[in-house]
Amino acid sequence: MISETTLRVRYAETDAMGVVYYAHYLTYFEVGRVEFLRQNGLPMADVDRKLRMPVVEASVRYLRPARLDDLLRVRSWIGERKRASFLFRYEIRHAETSELIATGETRHACWHPETERMIAIPSWLEGLLTPEAPESPDEGRP
Amino acid sequence: MISETTLRVRYAETDAMGVVYYAHYLTYFEVGRVEFLRQNGLPMADVDRKLRMPVVEASVRYLRPARLDDLLRVRSWIGERKRASFLFRYEIRHAETSELIATGETRHACWHPETERMIAIPSWLEGLLTPEAPESPDEGRP
Amino acid sequence: MISETTLRVRYAETDAMGVVYYAHYLTYFEVGRVEFLRQNGLPMADVDRKLRMPVVEASVRYLRPARLDDLLRVRSWIGERKRASFLFRYEIRHAETSELIATGETRHACWHPETERMIAIPSWLEGLLTPEAPESPDEGRP
Amino acid sequence: MISETTLRVRYAETDAMGVVYYAHYLTYFEVGRVEFLRQNGLPMADVDRKLRMPVVEASVRYLRPARLDDLLRVRSWIGERKRASFLFRYEIRHAETSELIATGETRHACWHPETERMIAIPSWLEGLLTPEAPESPDEGRP
């Protein structure tokens, strides 16, 4: 399952070089991740009460700059699932030209808000975190 | 009592017009406000447990743009104290030239985290919130 | 003409008090303003080349907190037009319940990027900046 | 050469989980990088006119959460220098306890603002980008 969402680059997200500031791609990834969960029946407000999924690693590859008012498409999918952590992968493209802007991933652990401890991925969540076969679902795409 | 603190404009805070994005002045005001409280013996982490001071109104006047890597001086003081709310005033100047960049204010209410209700300003806080006589302590300054 | 747009509160926009950080409302206002201009045939990328509209004053009144993942509706309209400045007014409501979250305004000047000077509102822009009759188009609304 | 700078966590940088939002570590890295350049005689405003150093890759490992009002120490050094790119490494620790909060790196290319092309690292910059011998200068530190 690959989720898609679009967002428009805000003034607040550009920097003095006229392009999206590099940290905001992690925010765009989060927007993608939250939509992935919502489209799988898990609105974020619910998730937060049952389980926290802190990011333990994140990385971004910046391919082309995004600019003010660009409409971007964020695609998010599960890249890997281990016993106690899982990996989200993302790609960001211009919504109109499909040009690739950035790719990246975030690794998450599971943390129980009541016991305040790291836990294995709970069984109710496992089915949702099924890794996609290809590394990138867009391989071979123009 | 007027508190002073300096901060340096970050890339993340500039926008595509090459200047500090207008929303970040409210963040700079908050930096000034937190320093005011710290310099009065109230570190923010302590405040948060005893009392929340939600902003009910905020305003900014933008006089000159601040730019990447500028060193800014933020001055914060109490402008007014009522029974259940108080006003912080701020001014932001270039630390080196003293040129005035922005002024503004934030009005705060008092909210008790345990009872989850608005309350009057507690007596332990009152002494700290003594309004400065002049509207701006910098009047007549070059 | 009143423009409407919706946006969803992002994790990045919440703070340790569990609600939207107060500076981000100015970002939400900007999202509303950019949509107002787009819906009037002025995409931001075009505006920027012909005219800059720096904010000279901004204010916000915070009525109810917005929370993570809330869907918000931003309404934007022209509140006033003078020779060389104009006022945008905004209100932010919960998209589902219509509860009022925040109101505010921003005053803008006109600045010409080539001559690098403040100018009067150009005639091509005037028609677009027609003030709405009521202060708030929502007066009397539940 | 390892540069050090300190910064204090702002309300604006925390999220609804009560800790620093994960994207802001990239902003903290940038603060460290700008200080590294300044301490080497290259204030950012100068760099920008002669050379842009766009980030082509970034990654972060999150070890412990940082919280509101924490004083953090950011250390920055050069990890690698190739013909046309170089790597900054970073670590962020609590300034008081020295506990490790996060580590990461950013890879930069060189881009000439006048010709608008990628270039090899210019000779005037090379001396400054001398890699540190150890991967982390803090190995073996408590």
Side-chain angles (χ1 to χ4, degrees):
Chain A
M1 191 273 184
I2 299 163
S3 111
E4 282 199 13
T5 187
T6 56
L7 53 84
R8 199 175 278 280
V9 172
R10 302 171 177 178
Y11 237 114
E13 294 158 1
T14 58
D15 68 17
M17 282 166 72
V19 299
V20 170
Y21 183 66
Y22 85 131
H24 296 306
Y25 289 91
L26 291 183
T27 304
Y28 295 168
F29 288 173
E30 180 241 309
V31 171
R33 191 162 70 237
V34 166
E35 282 312 309
F36 178 97
L37 294 172
R38 187 192 325 281
Q39 291 172 21
N40 278 282
L42 270 184
M44 209 58 213
D46 290 7
V47 180
D48 258 19
R49 273 189 287 274
K50 294 159 77 175
L51 186 72
R52 303 279 167 90
M53 298 180 282
V55 180
V56 292
E57 277 176 39
S59 64
V60 191
R61 276 164 302 285
Y62 304 90
L63 300 164
R64 276 179 198 78
R67 291 172 200 284
L68 180 61
D69 215 40
D70 280 352
L71 190 66
L72 304 180
R73 188 174 62 240
V74 185
R75 308 179 88 212
S76 313
W77 66 96
I78 300 295
E80 192 185 88
R81 190 190 65 206
K82 294 187 176 175
R83 202 188 62 87
S85 77
F86 57 94
L87 195 77
F88 264 105
R89 291 194 195 276
Y90 314 89
E91 56 161 52
I92 300 180
R93 290 177 182 267
H94 268 291
E96 283 140 37
T97 64
S98 284
E99 275 192 317
L100 193 57
I101 303 292
T103 64
E105 57 261 327
T106 54
R107 180 172 297 281
H108 299 257
C110 292
W111 188 86
H112 199 277
E114 273 173 40
T115 59
E116 301 197 349
R117 282 160 170 264
M118 292 298 178
I119 56 171
I121 297 174
S123 52
W124 61 266
L125 187 61
E126 267 192 351
L128 208 139
L129 303 176
T130 308
E132 290 301 310
E135 270 251 321
S136 161
D138 267 335
E139 244 127 66
R141 215 169 118 155
Chain B
M1 191 273 184
I2 298 163
S3 113
E4 282 200 14
T5 187
T6 56
L7 54 83
R8 199 175 277 282
V9 173
R10 302 171 177 178
Y11 237 114
E13 293 157 1
T14 59
D15 68 17
M17 282 167 74
V19 299
V20 170
Y21 182 66
Y22 85 130
H24 296 306
Y25 289 91
L26 291 183
T27 304
Y28 295 168
F29 288 173
E30 180 241 309
V31 170
R33 191 161 73 236
V34 167
E35 283 311 310
F36 177 97
L37 295 171
R38 188 193 324 283
Q39 290 172 23
N40 279 282
L42 270 184
M44 208 58 212
D46 290 8
V47 179
D48 258 17
R49 271 189 288 274
K50 295 159 77 174
L51 185 73
R52 302 279 166 90
M53 298 179 284
V55 180
V56 291
E57 277 176 40
S59 64
V60 191
R61 277 163 302 285
Y62 304 90
L63 300 163
R64 277 179 197 77
R67 292 171 200 285
L68 178 62
D69 215 41
D70 279 352
L71 191 66
L72 305 180
R73 188 174 61 239
V74 185
R75 309 179 88 212
S76 313
W77 65 97
I78 300 296
E80 193 186 87
R81 190 190 65 205
K82 294 186 176 174
R83 203 188 61 87
S85 77
F86 56 93
L87 194 77
F88 263 106
R89 291 194 194 277
Y90 314 89
E91 57 161 53
I92 300 181
R93 290 176 182 267
H94 269 291
E96 283 141 36
T97 64
S98 282
E99 276 192 316
L100 193 57
I101 303 294
T103 64
E105 57 260 329
T106 54
R107 180 172 298 279
H108 299 257
C110 293
W111 188 86
H112 198 278
E114 274 173 40
T115 59
E116 301 195 347
R117 282 159 170 264
M118 292 297 178
I119 56 170
I121 297 174
S123 52
W124 60 265
L125 187 62
E126 267 193 351
L128 208 140
L129 302 176
T130 308
E132 289 300 310
E135 269 251 323
S136 161
D138 266 336
E139 244 126 67
R141 215 169 118 151
Chain C
M1 190 273 184
I2 299 163
S3 113
E4 281 200 14
T5 187
T6 54
L7 54 84
R8 199 175 277 282
V9 173
R10 303 170 177 179
Y11 237 113
E13 294 157 1
T14 58
D15 69 18
M17 281 166 74
V19 300
V20 171
Y21 183 65
Y22 85 130
H24 296 306
Y25 289 92
L26 290 183
T27 303
Y28 295 168
F29 288 173
E30 179 241 309
V31 170
R33 191 161 71 235
V34 166
E35 282 313 309
F36 177 97
L37 294 171
R38 188 193 323 284
Q39 290 172 22
N40 279 281
L42 271 183
M44 210 57 212
D46 290 7
V47 180
D48 258 19
R49 272 190 287 274
K50 295 158 78 175
L51 186 72
R52 303 278 167 89
M53 298 180 283
V55 180
V56 291
E57 278 177 39
S59 64
V60 191
R61 276 163 303 285
Y62 304 91
L63 300 162
R64 276 180 197 76
R67 291 172 201 284
L68 179 61
D69 215 39
D70 280 351
L71 191 65
L72 304 180
R73 188 175 60 240
V74 185
R75 309 179 88 212
S76 312
W77 66 96
I78 301 296
E80 191 186 270
R81 190 190 66 205
K82 295 187 177 174
R83 201 187 63 87
S85 77
F86 56 94
L87 194 76
F88 263 105
R89 291 194 196 275
Y90 313 89
E91 56 161 51
I92 300 180
R93 290 178 182 268
H94 269 291
E96 282 140 39
T97 65
S98 282
E99 275 192 317
L100 194 56
I101 303 293
T103 64
E105 57 260 329
T106 54
R107 180 172 296 280
H108 299 258
C110 293
W111 188 86
H112 197 279
E114 274 173 40
T115 59
E116 300 195 349
R117 281 159 170 266
M118 291 299 180
I119 55 169
I121 297 174
S123 52
W124 61 266
L125 187 61
E126 268 192 352
L128 208 139
L129 303 176
T130 307
E132 290 300 310
E135 270 250 322
S136 160
D138 267 334
E139 244 127 68
R141 217 170 116 151
Chain D
M1 191 274 184
I2 299 162
S3 112
E4 283 199 14
T5 187
T6 55
L7 54 84
R8 199 175 279 281
V9 172
R10 302 171 177 178
Y11 237 113
E13 294 158 0
T14 58
D15 69 17
M17 281 165 75
V19 299
V20 170
Y21 183 65
Y22 85 130
H24 295 306
Y25 289 91
L26 291 183
T27 303
Y28 296 169
F29 288 173
E30 180 241 307
V31 171
R33 191 161 71 236
V34 166
E35 283 311 310
F36 178 97
L37 294 172
R38 188 193 324 282
Q39 290 173 22
N40 279 281
L42 270 183
M44 209 57 212
D46 290 7
V47 179
D48 257 19
R49 273 191 286 274
K50 295 158 78 175
L51 185 72
R52 302 278 167 89
M53 298 180 284
V55 179
V56 291
E57 276 176 41
S59 64
V60 191
R61 276 164 301 285
Y62 304 89
L63 300 162
R64 276 181 197 76
R67 290 172 201 285
L68 179 61
D69 214 41
D70 280 351
L71 191 66
L72 305 180
R73 189 173 62 240
V74 185
R75 308 179 88 212
S76 312
W77 65 96
I78 300 296
E80 193 185 86
R81 190 189 66 206
K82 292 188 178 175
R83 202 188 62 88
S85 78
F86 56 93
L87 195 76
F88 263 104
R89 290 195 196 277
Y90 313 88
E91 56 161 52
I92 300 180
R93 290 176 183 268
H94 269 290
E96 283 141 38
T97 64
S98 283
E99 275 192 318
L100 194 57
I101 303 293
T103 64
E105 58 261 329
T106 54
R107 180 172 297 281
H108 300 258
C110 292
W111 188 86
H112 197 279
E114 275 172 38
T115 60
E116 301 196 349
R117 281 159 170 265
M118 292 296 179
I119 56 171
I121 297 174
S123 52
W124 60 265
L125 187 62
E126 267 193 351
L128 209 139
L129 303 177
T130 308
E132 291 299 310
E135 270 251 322
S136 162
D138 267 336
E139 244 126 68
R141 220 169 115 150

